[in-house]
């Protein structure tokens, strides 16, 4: 299939140059050397061709052949994607393991999707029907809960001249024939799509449904919408990965694409070993069944790290096109940006800030623009929510990747090193973080939960920012100098911080909070504040309030009350009222 | 200039006489054909002395070579370069334990070359994430600030972040001496686990290397230790090879010979400086503080060579040591290290001034693998809550302490005064211990509860009411 078009003239790490045919095209996938390492053309200048290579180039020498494939770097899309784990250019890691053992060897060529497995295919469209790109030809039940919708490739349209009967097929077998303007096309269950080109949809739609993550600080204070974009910047150890893992586990998405981009091997292993045993609270199935993993860890080739982000988002778009809601996590986009920088440096391009190439911002924009809530080509609704971790050097948010990212996302979850060292997790700083989706999703809460979520949220945020102002004073003069009403703000805020915002991802009950639990908890805490405020106005002092047994109950209820026993929260409310009534009686 | 090329064997060994340019540790060879990227070279000077190097970049008629032991004395015409046709390999064998090598793996203890049937590429290969086994077995170090608060797990990479003059060497030696495979509190220790130790020194002083050698000798570990020494007066570029050689041996011992290996790398800051030097000579675009943009990937290629794999019983646990320039944790070396390793143990100057040993600052320290290595069946059921509570109380104490420094200790409320007392006791009794004291996990956990019992029960919101009932000591039963 591939043809030699030239020979290597220069090697510098993952970047090589070759001389040869002028017929190759920019971004074409190529194979380099006798081992046929995978690469991509990233520059053309006369007969000099610049290539980034996705594998280690040790031993590569000038004179070695270079082969073209005639196609841009692409991914394979079809049944079999779910439960997979791929490297940055979609090579299946379990199969590489089978071939080369515990260590990854180079020059291994594998099909991303299994060619042997037979899938039970049910046609929907009939012979003679007109079809356009994106239309759903038929379905495959890929997992117990997931219907894989086999679509006409986006760039194909015409008349169906033949449709395969309902039966088991491999993904290579023809399931339909279409008469197009340019002749007859045979369709299989597999599509190839260039990773750097976005897949088309009919229209972008508004975003007013929250992506429920089960993480209280996110859902209640800084929500991201389905189709939205969020960044989690934070110093090392601040909690980016744990937060992203939590979202991957508990978010109410149909599909999760998790990209480990230049991070730790053990973190991917953890997901691989944990997800098959974790049960999706919404359908009782193992979480792995809705998950696709891309793992290009920090010690794997750096150019493939650059590609991993595109591989992941293209897979996400494919699922979106079927009419599903996809959540995509990228950990960490900074490592991706560094891969860009490294390749750019080897090309001796003129750097902009901190050695990053001038096109960094444009690439970030392109990536986040692939998120969104859309009407698909087949008239369904689907979305991709993108959540990118950012790893700023020294934890300093003024650096280029954080700053440029901020321009393209609408939800900013700022992690705070000092909260993390005090073991306040997730260490999302409630003063620095923001969500521009807050107003947009308020209607959904009102409709689904019947509560004024926005009002509660704003009340909590006000208390917390008042607390921050007051603690400045406390730092100078001590808490005793404040009037009791203000000390109550400190007390309620402490309850909110410890009992609501802090959420232990390692605790069986606390790891995931149902939205009804979240609302009820917040309600209780605000109710506490309201009652205590009244009593203090009547002359009770803050010490008596602080000593009420209910205070510790409020702080501990997150770990004590499982999502399916929310009626116990009513009991807590009763106890709260009893204790308050009693106190109030003393100050009548 | 008089360069000539001479193909010696079929294996691709070739020799070139004369070089085009010499700059810092780099030699540019101009008439080299058919050279591979990352190939090892032998550089022979006009006196016939040989040094080794490595190809950093190749063009059609040009190769850029980094010479490990520096270029002093090399001449343009009198230098011969022999390209060896493969990347740098070292012999690996179990007999290398008990031996001392230079920074590129040659014996310097007067003994013979180790007999080895295996030669391994010093760059190694990435472990396939699907082949890893997630580390869950904790290592008891006998040090409370580690075992109780930042538990080390077998197969973890956990660096010491230190500063000039702080006792990181002493602490590392104590960890190595006391490390045993942990068992649940109260149970007798599992069959004594002897770790093989691979020690790599990069640019450290003679007396530091000597200190470690003595420490290993005193604890009778010397026969289980392989030392790779690149000392302060050894060539800086050689430092780039030292940790790779050491890890190559460690991988062989762990994954081919099924051994549990502890790797100590010191001082990573010197390693990074050598990398910066090469990068600057080559005129690469720097990122922060002159370090190359690929420092993260380069460090990852070392630190990620840690862990466990399905096909072996063995493991590699890494304890890299680095000194933070001006105690600055945001400096690129600690910063990028922290982004790759699975936590960090931070040493603090303040505690050291108060003569607290080991001066471990627990708040900025972290062990990310702790969560799966502790609890019932590993250490004890209350461990996770207990450490969270100690963290929370100690963090709150810091706020109280800074308030006290403003308004005076007497002005503090009664509870805050108790926190202050707790904080002092925590630093002296829990963090502080003697360099020879080896505490069991049970002693560490019980000590934690003893200290928490200095605080009113109501303040303890991270531990459960049941745990309080079981472990909290009411004021009357402590006295
Ligand atoms: N929600 C949480 N609950 C409990 N512990 C947490 C939580 N979030 C973070 N942690 C703790 O913080 C540690 C570091 O978190 P994490 O690995 O997510 O950091 P990170 O920001 O991804 O760091 P890096 O940039 O180095 O990858 C975890 O190992 C865990 O101990
Ligand atoms: Mg992380």
């Amino acid at each position: 299939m591939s043809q030699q078009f030239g020979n290597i003239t220069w090697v510098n790490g993952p970047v090589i140059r070759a001389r040869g045919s002028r017929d190759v095209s920019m971004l074409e996938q190529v194979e380099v050397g006798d081992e046929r390492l995978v690469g991509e053309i990233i520059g053309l200048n006369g007969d000099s061709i610049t290539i980034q290579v996705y594998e280690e180039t040790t031993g590569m020498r000038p004179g070695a052949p270079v082969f073209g494939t005639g196609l841009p770097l692409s991914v394979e899309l079809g049944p079999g994607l779910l439960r997979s784990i791929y490297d940055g250019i979609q090579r299946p890691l379990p199969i590489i393991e089978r071939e080369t053992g515990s260590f990854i060897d180079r020059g291994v060529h594998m099909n991303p999707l299994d060619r042997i497995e037979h899938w039970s295919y049910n046609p929907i469209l009939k012979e003679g029907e007109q079809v356009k790109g994106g239309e759903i030809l038929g379905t495959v039940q890929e997992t117990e809960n997931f219907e894989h919708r086999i679509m006409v490739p986006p760039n194909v349209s015409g008349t169906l001249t033949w449709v395969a009967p309902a039966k088991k097929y491999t993904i290579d077998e023809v399931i339909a024939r279409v008469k197009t303007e340019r002749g007859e096309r045979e369709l299989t269950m597999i599509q190839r799509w260039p990773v750097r080109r976005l897949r088309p949809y009919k229209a972008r739609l508004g975003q007013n449904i929250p992506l429920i993550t089960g993480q209280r600080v996110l859902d209640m204070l800084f929500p991201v919408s389905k189709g939205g974009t969020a960044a989690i910047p934070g110093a090392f150890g601040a909690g980016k990965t744990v937060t992203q893992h939590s979202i991957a586990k508990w978010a109410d998405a149909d599909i999760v694409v998790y990209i480990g981009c230049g991070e730790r091997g053990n973190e991917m292993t953890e997901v691989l070993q944990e997800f098959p045993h974790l049960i999706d609270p919404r359908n009782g199935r193992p979480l792995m069944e809705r998950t696709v993993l891309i793992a290009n860890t920090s010690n794997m080739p750096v150019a493939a790290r650059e590609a991993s982000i595109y591989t992941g988002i293209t897979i996400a778009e494919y699922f979106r096109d079927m009419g599903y809601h996809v959540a995509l996590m990228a950990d960490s986009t900074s490592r991706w940006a560094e891969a860009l920088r490294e390749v750019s440096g080897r090309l001796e391009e003129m750097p902009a800030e901190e050695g990053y190439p001038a096109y960094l911002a444009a690439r970030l924009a392109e990536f986040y623009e692939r998120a969104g809530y859309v009407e698909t080509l087949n008239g369904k609704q689907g979305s991709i929510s993108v959540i990118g971790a950012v790893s700023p050097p020294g934890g300093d948010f003024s650096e280029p990747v954080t700053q440029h990212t901020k321009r393209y996302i609408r939800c900013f979850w700022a992690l705070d090193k000092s909260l993390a060292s005090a073991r306040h997790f997730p260490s999302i700083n409630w003063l620095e973080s923001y969500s521009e989706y807050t107003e947009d999703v308020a209607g959904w809460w009102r409709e689904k939960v019947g509560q004024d979520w926005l009002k509660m949220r704003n009340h909590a945020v006000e208390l917390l920012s008042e607390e921050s102002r007051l603690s400045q004073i406390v730092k100078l003069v001590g808490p005793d100098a404040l009037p009791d009403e203000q000390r109550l703000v400190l007390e309620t805020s402490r309850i909110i911080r410890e009992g609501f915002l802090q959420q232990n991802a390692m605790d069986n009950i606390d790891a995931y909070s149902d939205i009804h639990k979240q609302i009820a908890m917040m309600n209780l805490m605000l109710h506490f504040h309201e009652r205590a405020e009244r009593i203090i106005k009547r002359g009770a002092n803050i010490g008596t309030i602080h000593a009420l047994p209910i205070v510790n109950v409020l702080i501990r209820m997150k770990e004590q009350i499982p999502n399916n026993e929310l009626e116990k929260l009513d009991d807590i409310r009763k106890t709260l009222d009893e204790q308050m009534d009693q106190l109030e009686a003393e100050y009548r | 200039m008089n360069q000539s090329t001479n193909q010696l064997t079929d294996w691709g060994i070739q020799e070139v006489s004369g070089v085009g340019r010499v700059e810092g540790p780099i030699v540019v060879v101009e008439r080299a054909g058919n050279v591979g990227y990352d190939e090892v070279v032998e550089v022979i000077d006009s006196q016939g002395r040989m040094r080794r190097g490595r190809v950093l970049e190749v063009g059609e008629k040009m190769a850029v070579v980094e010479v490990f032991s520096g270029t002093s004395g090399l001449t343009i015409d009198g230098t011969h370069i022999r390209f060896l046709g493969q990347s740098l390999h070292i012999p690996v064998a179990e007999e290398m334990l008990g031996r001392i090598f230079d920074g590129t793996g040659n014996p310097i203890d007067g003994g013979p070359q180790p007999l080895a049937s295996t030669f391994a590429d010093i760059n190694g290969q990435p472990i396939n994430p699907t082949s890893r086994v997630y580390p869950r077995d904790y290592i008891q170090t006998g040090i409370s600030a580690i075992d109780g608060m930042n538990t080390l797990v077998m197969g973890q990479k956990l660096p010491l972040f230190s500063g000039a003059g702080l006792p990181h060497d002493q602490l590392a030696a104590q960890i190595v001496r006391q490390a045993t495979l942990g068992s649940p509190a109260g149970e007798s220790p599992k069959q004594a686990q002897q770790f093989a130790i691979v020690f790599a020194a990069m640019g450290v002083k003679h007396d530091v290397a000597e200190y470690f050698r003595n420490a290993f000798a005193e604890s009778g570990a010397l026969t289980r230790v392989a030392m790779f020494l690149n000392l302060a007066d050894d060539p800086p570029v050689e430092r780039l090879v030292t940790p790779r050689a050491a890890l190559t041996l460690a991988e062989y011992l762990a994954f081919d010979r099924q051994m549990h290996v502890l790797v100590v790398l010191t001082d990573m800051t010197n390693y990074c400086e050598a990398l910066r030097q090469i990068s600057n000579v080559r005129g690469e675009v720097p990122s922060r503080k002159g370090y190359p943009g690929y420092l993260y990937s380069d460090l990852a290629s070392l630190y990620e060579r840690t862990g466990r794999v399905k096909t072996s019983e063995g493991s590699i646990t890494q304890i890299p040591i680095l000194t933070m320039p001006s105690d600055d944790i945001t400096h690129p070396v600690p910063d990028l290290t922290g982004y790759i390793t699975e936590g960090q143990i931070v040493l603090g100057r303040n505690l050291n001034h108060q003569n607290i040993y080991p001066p471990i600052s627990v708040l900025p320290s972290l062990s990310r693998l702790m969560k799966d290595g502790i609890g019932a069946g590993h250490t004890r059921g209350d461990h996770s809550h207990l450490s969270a509570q100690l963290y929370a109380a100690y963090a709150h104490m810091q706020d109280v302490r800074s308030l006290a420094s403003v308004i005076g200790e007497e002005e503090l409320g009664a509870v805050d005064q108790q926190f202050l007392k707790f904080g002092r006791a925590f630093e002296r009794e829990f963090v502080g211990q003697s360099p020879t004291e080896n505490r069991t996990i049970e002693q560490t956990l019980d000590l934690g509860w003893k200290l928490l019992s200095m605080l009113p029960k109501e303040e303890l919101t991270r531990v459960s009411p049941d745990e309080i009932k079981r472990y909290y000591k009411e004021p009357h039963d402590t006295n």
Side-chain angles (χ1 to χ4, degrees):
Chain A
M1 188 174 88
S2 51
Q3 272 207 329
Q4 184 177 348
F5 66 83
N7 297 85
I8 296 179
T9 56
W10 179 78
V11 186
N12 182 1
V15 180
I16 69 166
R17 287 216 171 88
R19 196 166 39 239
S21 157
R22 300 168 80 112
D23 285 342
V24 292
S25 48
M26 188 68 178
L27 301 186
E28 179 171 336
Q29 185 172 334
V30 297
E31 291 171 4
V32 178
D34 297 321
E35 287 171 289
R36 302 216 169 206
L37 308 184
V38 183
E40 182 185 14
I41 295 179
I42 55 169
L44 293 171
N45 182 2
D47 59 1
S48 164
I49 301 149
T50 307
I51 296 166
Q52 66 174 346
V53 185
Y54 294 123
E55 304 180 63
E56 283 308 325
T57 51
T58 295
M60 196 57 67
R61 51 196 72 222
V66 190
F67 308 88
T69 64
L71 294 169
L73 182 69
S74 304
V75 286
E76 279 188 6
L77 304 165
L81 280 172
L82 295 178
R83 289 172 287 191
S84 294
I85 173 162
Y86 295 114
D87 77 355
I89 51 170
Q90 213 200 6
R91 286 184 304 184
L93 289 171
I95 299 178
I96 295 184
E97 180 185 22
R98 218 160 61 207
E99 298 288 316
T100 76
S102 300
F103 295 85
I104 300 177
D105 222 338
R106 48 185 202 166
V108 190
H109 291 259
M110 304 281 171
N111 286 320
L113 294 175
D114 190 325
R115 293 302 197 271
I116 295 168
E117 181 147 13
H118 284 70
W119 300 96
S120 202
Y121 172 72
N122 290 303
I124 294 177
L125 296 181
K126 308 223 159 49
E127 261 167 43
E129 289 192 68
Q130 294 292 314
V131 290
K132 291 199 304 288
E135 265 175 80
I136 297 168
L137 277 172
T139 62
V140 163
Q141 198 66 35
E142 184 169 350
T143 70
E144 203 153 305
N145 256 281
F146 185 77
E147 181 186 85
H148 196 117
R149 299 172 182 151
I150 308 295
M151 297 171 289
V152 179
N155 41 11
V156 174
S157 62
T159 315
L160 278 174
T161 54
W162 179 78
V163 170
K167 211 177 78 164
K168 287 191 161 188
Y169 299 94
T170 68
I171 53 173
D172 276 336
E173 287 178 89
V174 177
I175 48 148
R177 292 206 184 86
V178 185
K179 202 167 133 234
T180 73
E181 281 178 2
R182 281 179 291 158
E184 195 167 66
R185 279 274 306 251
E186 295 191 327
L187 302 183
T188 65
M189 288 194 259
I190 193 171
Q191 298 190 12
R192 291 187 67 81
W193 191 265
V195 296
R196 299 191 195 273
R197 192 177 315 150
L198 56 91
R199 286 175 63 91
Y201 46 81
K202 202 175 279 167
R204 274 184 183 270
L205 304 176
Q207 301 175 4
N208 40 34
I209 305 175
L211 179 77
I212 298 298
T213 64
Q215 307 306 300
R216 292 184 295 266
V217 58
L218 304 183
D219 293 346
M220 283 299 286
L221 296 194
F222 309 108
V224 63
S225 68
K226 288 207 167 76
T229 47
I232 316 183
F236 63 79
K240 299 178 289 298
T241 305
V242 173
T243 307
Q244 295 222 30
H245 280 190
S246 296
I247 299 173
K249 286 174 193 166
W250 310 120
D252 66 339
D254 301 310
I255 297 289
V256 167
V257 177
Y258 193 98
I259 311 169
C261 174
E263 292 289 312
R264 300 173 185 84
N266 274 333
E267 290 173 349
M268 299 312 292
T269 309
E270 187 181 6
V271 174
L272 272 178
Q273 295 183 355
E274 201 180 7
F275 276 37
H277 304 290
L278 286 173
I279 300 301
D280 186 337
R282 293 167 311 137
N283 59 27
R285 300 295 306 167
L287 281 172
M288 202 61 202
E289 291 187 357
R290 65 164 194 184
T291 308
V292 183
L293 297 173
I294 316 283
N296 211 95
T297 55
S298 56
N299 55 340
M300 284 159 75
V302 69
R305 188 196 297 171
E306 193 270 335
S308 66
I309 292 272
Y310 298 99
T311 297
I313 195 125
T314 308
I315 291 173
E317 286 176 340
Y318 173 70
F319 285 112
R320 173 204 65 191
D321 291 346
M322 295 177 203
Y324 289 115
H325 297 289
V326 185
L328 177 138
M329 261 64 63
D331 185 14
S332 160
T333 60
S334 293
R335 305 306 165 214
W336 167 79
E338 286 168 7
L340 273 189
R341 174 169 73 183
E342 182 166 343
V343 170
S344 162
R346 306 234 185 207
L347 292 172
E348 303 191 347
E349 291 173 337
M350 184 65 112
E353 308 136 281
E354 298 193 12
Y356 287 105
Y359 46 81
L360 170 67
R363 293 283 173 87
L364 277 167
E366 274 166 30
F367 169 62
Y368 283 107
E369 274 303 298
R370 290 173 80 167
Y373 196 109
V374 304
E375 182 184 348
T376 62
L377 293 179
N378 50 44
K380 292 185 180 292
Q381 295 193 357
S383 70
I384 302 178
S385 318
V386 171
I387 297 158
V390 184
S391 316
D396 175 2
F397 292 174
S398 66
E399 58 90 38
V401 180
T402 317
Q403 284 307 313
H404 289 306
T405 299
K406 251 182 147 165
R407 294 161 55 194
Y408 309 117
I409 50 97
R410 295 187 57 203
C411 200
F412 191 71
W413 297 328
L415 300 187
D416 184 324
K417 185 90 213 184
S418 57
L419 288 175
S421 10
R423 271 42 177 189
H424 172 116
F425 289 118
S427 69
I428 292 172
N429 181 308
W430 46 93
L431 301 171
E432 231 182 308
S433 302
Y434 60 81
S435 163
E436 292 174 9
Y437 300 109
T438 311
E439 311 272 334
D440 303 348
V441 301
W444 181 91
W445 280 93
R446 205 173 305 116
E447 217 170 277
K448 294 286 167 187
V449 193
Q451 296 260 4
D452 199 341
W453 169 85
L454 190 59
K455 192 170 145 206
M456 282 165 67
R457 176 211 179 261
N458 289 345
H459 192 178
V461 170
E462 276 157 31
L463 280 170
L464 291 165
S465 50
E466 175 73 356
E467 180 205 29
S468 136
R469 194 181 64 83
L470 294 174
S471 5
Q472 296 306 318
I473 304 175
V474 170
K475 274 197 189 120
L476 296 176
V477 292
D480 294 344
L482 295 181
D484 279 359
E485 267 152 61
Q486 292 189 334
R487 294 189 67 184
L488 176 65
V489 172
L490 298 182
E491 183 71 7
T492 309
S493 298
R494 181 179 75 94
I495 295 172
I496 294 178
R497 280 190 285 108
E498 294 184 14
F500 192 91
L501 300 183
Q502 281 181 16
Q503 188 167 357
N504 184 353
M506 321 303 165
D507 184 90
N508 278 339
I509 294 178
D510 200 25
Y512 162 76
S513 267
D514 181 271
I515 47 173
H516 299 282
K517 178 172 169 185
Q518 300 191 25
I519 286 271
M521 281 173 64
M522 184 51 86
N523 237 329
L524 270 173
M525 293 178 181
L526 296 176
H527 183 59
F528 164 88
H529 186 71
E530 202 186 325
R531 298 244 18 206
E533 206 170 22
R534 225 162 51 212
I535 299 174
I536 282 185
K537 282 214 177 88
R538 295 202 181 152
N541 76 25
I542 186 72
T544 13
I545 301 281
H546 177 78
L548 287 175
I550 193 67
V551 170
N552 277 351
V553 173
L554 291 178
I555 290 176
R556 287 206 179 100
M557 64 189 169
K558 58 182 184 178
E559 291 181 350
Q560 305 278 322
I561 313 244
N563 289 312
N564 56 4
E565 296 175 23
L566 297 188
E567 61 290 347
K568 290 192 177 156
L569 290 171
D570 298 336
D571 301 339
I572 293 184
R573 192 183 177 98
K574 255 184 238 132
T575 318
L576 190 158
D577 279 328
E578 276 162 21
Q579 292 180 14
M580 291 289 183
D581 287 346
Q582 213 173 24
L583 199 58
E584 202 166 81
E586 290 173 29
Y587 292 92
R588 219 167 267 282
Chain B
M1 185 185 337
N2 166 29
Q3 291 193 6
S4 65
T5 309
N6 173 17
Q7 193 80 27
L8 284 179
T9 72
D10 301 344
W11 298 7
I13 297 184
Q14 60 172 317
E15 204 168 307
V16 178
S17 294
V19 298
R21 187 153 62 88
V22 181
E23 192 182 347
I26 284 185
V27 167
V28 180
V29 186
E30 277 175 348
R31 278 217 312 223
N34 199 32
V35 171
Y37 174 72
D38 204 25
E39 193 168 321
V40 206
V41 301
E42 290 176 354
V43 180
I44 297 133
D45 67 16
S46 46
Q47 257 80 58
R49 279 184 307 234
M50 193 269 279
R51 36 192 126 181
R52 284 197 292 175
R54 189 167 73 103
V55 173
L56 295 179
E57 180 181 335
V58 276
E60 276 172 304
K61 290 202 185 57
M62 149 319 259
V64 178
V65 171
E66 126 195 314
V67 185
F68 300 146
S69 50
T71 51
S72 80
L74 292 187
T75 58
I76 294 286
D77 294 337
T79 303
H80 293 262
I81 310 270
R82 195 181 290 144
F83 294 91
L84 299 187
Q86 60 166 1
S87 55
L88 187 54
H89 285 54
I90 61 159
V92 286
E94 230 173 288
E95 297 85 86
M96 290 170 75
L97 291 173
R99 301 289 309 274
I100 303 179
F101 305 91
D102 71 7
T104 55
N106 303 307
I108 49 169
D109 54 1
Q113 270 290 347
L115 275 179
S117 51
T118 311
F119 283 73
D121 185 335
I122 63 157
N123 294 313
Q125 282 178 317
I127 300 178
N128 190 326
T130 55
S131 310
R132 284 182 182 270
V133 175
Y134 193 76
R136 291 175 198 278
D137 300 316
Y138 89 100
I139 294 176
Q140 181 178 304
T141 66
I143 296 162
S144 294
I146 296 178
D147 294 351
M149 310 291 283
N150 296 289
T151 320
L152 173 65
V153 173
M154 198 147 70
Q156 181 173 16
K157 38 191 181 290
L158 188 65
L160 301 184
F161 282 14
S162 188
L166 295 178
H168 43 266
D169 295 332
Q170 205 175 2
L171 177 58
Q174 188 178 5
I175 294 173
V176 169
R177 194 169 57 237
Q178 299 182 353
T180 53
L181 182 53
S183 51
E187 285 181 24
S188 55
K190 298 201 178 125
Q191 198 187 358
Q193 182 61 59
Q194 301 256 295
F195 286 92
I197 298 152
V198 174
F199 176 85
M202 285 88 70
V204 303
K205 292 203 277 304
H206 278 271
D207 45 347
V208 171
E210 202 46 34
Y211 173 81
F212 276 102
R213 214 190 70 84
N214 288 335
F216 297 143
E218 274 163 30
S219 58
L222 217 43
T223 53
R224 295 184 275 122
V225 185
M227 300 182 85
F228 292 80
L229 304 181
N230 164 286
L231 300 180
D233 51 1
D234 286 333
V237 180
E238 196 176 284
R239 266 159 228 172
L240 302 180
V241 176
T242 310
R244 292 188 165 81
L247 288 164
T248 304
L249 175 61
E251 279 174 350
Y252 171 78
L253 296 174
F255 304 139
D256 285 6
R257 316 296 319 169
Q258 326 269 325
M259 299 169 93
H260 292 299
V261 185
L262 270 181
V263 179
V264 177
L265 307 173
T266 183
D267 177 331
M268 292 307 295
T269 305
N270 297 337
Y271 170 88
C272 294
E273 274 166 12
L275 198 69
R276 172 167 68 177
Q277 187 194 347
I278 288 282
S279 172
N280 292 358
V281 171
R282 298 188 65 200
E284 292 172 339
V285 179
S287 61
R288 280 203 309 149
K289 297 212 180 208
Y291 289 94
Y294 50 80
L295 181 59
Y296 174 84
S297 301
D298 188 279
L299 285 172
S301 76
L302 302 177
Y303 296 142
E304 276 289 316
R305 294 172 80 172
T306 312
R308 309 188 72 158
V309 297
K310 289 181 206 160
T311 48
S312 166
E313 286 300 306
S315 65
I316 298 180
T317 307
Q318 263 197 50
I319 305 180
I321 301 173
L322 59 87
T323 44
M324 302 182 278
S326 342
D327 291 350
D328 177 9
I329 198 168
T330 69
H331 181 280
V333 176
D335 192 48
L336 295 179
T337 296
Y339 271 122
I340 301 164
T341 52
E342 285 144 349
Q344 65 281 335
I345 303 290
V346 182
L347 301 194
R349 210 162 283 280
N350 259 335
L351 292 173
N352 194 51
H353 282 157
Q354 296 169 52
N355 289 320
I356 290 171
Y357 172 88
I360 295 176
S361 292
V362 295
L363 293 183
S365 298
L366 168 71
S367 163
R368 296 165 196 249
L369 300 189
M370 172 173 181
K371 60 184 177 12
D372 294 297
I374 63 169
H378 297 278
T379 55
R380 203 167 75 186
D382 58 312
H383 191 164
S384 149
H385 284 172
L386 170 65
S387 72
Q389 183 64 69
L390 286 169
Y391 266 113
Y394 187 63
H396 178 68
M397 187 283 300
Q398 301 277 21
D399 293 342
V400 175
R401 192 178 266 175
S402 53
L403 178 62
S405 70
V406 179
I407 63 174
E409 212 173 307
E410 324 70 56
E411 295 297 313
L412 292 176
V415 174
D416 280 352
Q417 301 218 11
Q418 281 171 293
F419 268 98
L420 265 194
K421 280 209 197 83
F422 158 81
R424 270 185 221 118
F426 179 80
E427 287 168 355
R428 302 224 157 264
E429 295 170 35
F430 190 90
V431 174
Q433 65 186 80
S434 99
T436 54
E437 189 178 356
N438 189 353
R439 294 180 187 156
T440 65
I441 188 71
E442 196 173 21
Q443 286 169 333
T444 290
L445 298 177
D446 289 347
L447 182 55
W449 277 106
K450 185 182 144 210
L451 296 170
L452 282 184
S453 303
M454 299 172 69
L455 298 170
K457 266 194 287 214
E458 308 74 62
E459 299 296 323
L460 308 182
T461 55
R462 304 286 182 104
V463 286
S464 74
D466 287 346
E467 287 159 348
I468 292 188
K469 214 174 287 161
R470 175 135 183 223
Y471 297 109
Y472 184 85
K473 297 184 181 54
E474 301 290 343
H476 59 263
D477 36 81
T478 42
N479 304 337

